[in-house]
Amino acid sequence: GQQLNQSPQSMFIQEGEDVSMNCTSSSIFNTWLWYKQDPGEGPVLLIALYKAGELTSNGRLTAQFGITRKDSFLNISASIPSDVGIYFCAGQTWNAGNMLTFGGGTRLMVKP
Amino acid sequence: EAGVTQSPTHLIKTRGQQATLRCSPISGHTSVYWYQQALGLGLQFLLWYDEGEERNRGNFPPRFSGRQFPNYSSELNVNALELEDSALYLCASSPSWTGTYGYTFGSGTRLTVV
């Protein structure tokens, strides 16, 4: 089945630093999504990308849909303590209907 | 507007028993999805229901089953529980199976099999 390789698995950074994480796949996806999960909660959608090459921002978050449609990255600028959590990428293909394939997650820890 | 609600929040069962997990989607959403999140791992797709029909199924054994009711709420049943079924089970909903705009997730049911 489809696999999404997400890296890094974890990051421990200083408050104010920028963060970058990415997902790669051997398969093409038509939609890339980025979610954040806080402890004890379900994932919350941060950014959705629908077109190859698309660059989208949401506040301090910026994500890009890779031109090959096989990768995506998420950047967080000027990190703050509430950015702590697990970030997941997810890909969707039209022939899979609404099923999402998730990456393994990046655990972000921010030191004040 | 109420979000996706799941019950119970925690469930402890003995190996071999059956577990029933419930999900109420956001009002107006017809599609419901179930995912399993084992500790420290990503989300694995289990089942997708839309308009009362099972639309897709992930790579899980038949003892994982479910259904969607006329009011679009859904139930996930896990029979003959095994220790490795211990996980957070997440339900999500979306407006339609034709949509591609991501899901809204509930907070999950933490199932522990002992």
Side-chain angles (χ1 to χ4, degrees):
Chain A
Q2 295 171 324
Q3 298 285 334
L4 285 185
N5 300 307
Q6 187 170 348
S7 64
Q9 285 187 319
S10 63
M11 303 179 74
F12 189 41
I13 62 168
Q14 193 77 34
E15 182 178 358
E17 289 183 351
D18 296 343
V19 172
S20 185
M21 58 192 79
N22 69 82
C23 271
T24 59
S25 171
S26 57
S27 306
I28 287 173
F29 286 98
N30 302 114
T31 302
W32 282 93
L33 305 157
W34 285 92
Y35 286 86
K36 182 192 177 198
Q37 185 176 30
D38 291 326
E41 299 292 328
V44 173
L45 182 65
L46 298 173
I47 291 181
L49 302 155
Y50 304 111
K51 214 176 352 178
E54 180 181 354
L55 185 72
T56 297
S57 293
N58 178 8
R60 294 179 295 106
L61 278 58
T62 301
Q64 184 157 30
F65 191 143
I67 199 75
T68 64
R69 296 197 284 161
K70 292 183 179 180
D71 63 321
S72 177
F73 72 74
L74 174 70
N75 287 339
I76 305 173
S77 63
S79 58
I80 59 178
S82 61
D83 290 334
V84 164
I86 304 176
Y87 292 79
F88 289 100
C89 62
Q92 181 181 24
T93 55
W94 291 329
N95 63 359
N98 268 0
M99 187 189 83
L100 294 181
T101 300
F102 280 83
T106 295
R107 182 180 296 274
L108 178 63
M109 293 159 280
V110 179
K111 185 177 177 184
Chain B
E1 175 184 88
V4 177
T5 57
Q6 292 188 244
S7 63
T9 52
H10 293 86
L11 190 58
I12 300 176
K13 290 285 187 177
T14 303
R15 190 169 50 183
Q17 285 188 315
Q18 179 198 41
T20 298
L21 288 62
R22 297 180 177 83
C23 172
S24 292
I26 289 173
S27 177
H29 286 191
T30 62
S31 277
V32 170
Y33 315 84
W34 288 95
Y35 282 78
Q36 182 196 65
Q37 185 178 24
L39 191 63
L41 298 179
L43 283 71
Q44 301 293 319
F45 170 73
L46 267 166
L47 289 159
W48 165 28
Y49 292 96
D50 182 74
E51 298 283 0
E53 304 270 338
E54 182 181 299
R55 300 292 183 182
N56 204 349
R57 182 183 179 85
N59 189 24
F60 280 84
R63 57 191 186 80
F64 287 84
S65 65
R67 54 180 171 166
Q68 186 178 32
F69 299 100
N71 66 354
Y72 304 117
S73 66
S74 178
E75 210 172 72
L76 173 68
N77 295 295
V78 188
N79 293 319
L81 285 164
E82 300 178 1
L83 295 177
E84 52 265 33
D85 296 333
S86 295
L88 181 67
Y89 288 83
L90 291 161
C91 171
S93 72
S94 73
S96 163
W97 71 276
T98 60
T100 59
Y101 307 118
Y103 310 151
T104 301
F105 281 92
S107 297
T109 293
R110 172 75 60 188
L111 173 65
T112 303
V113 183
V114 296

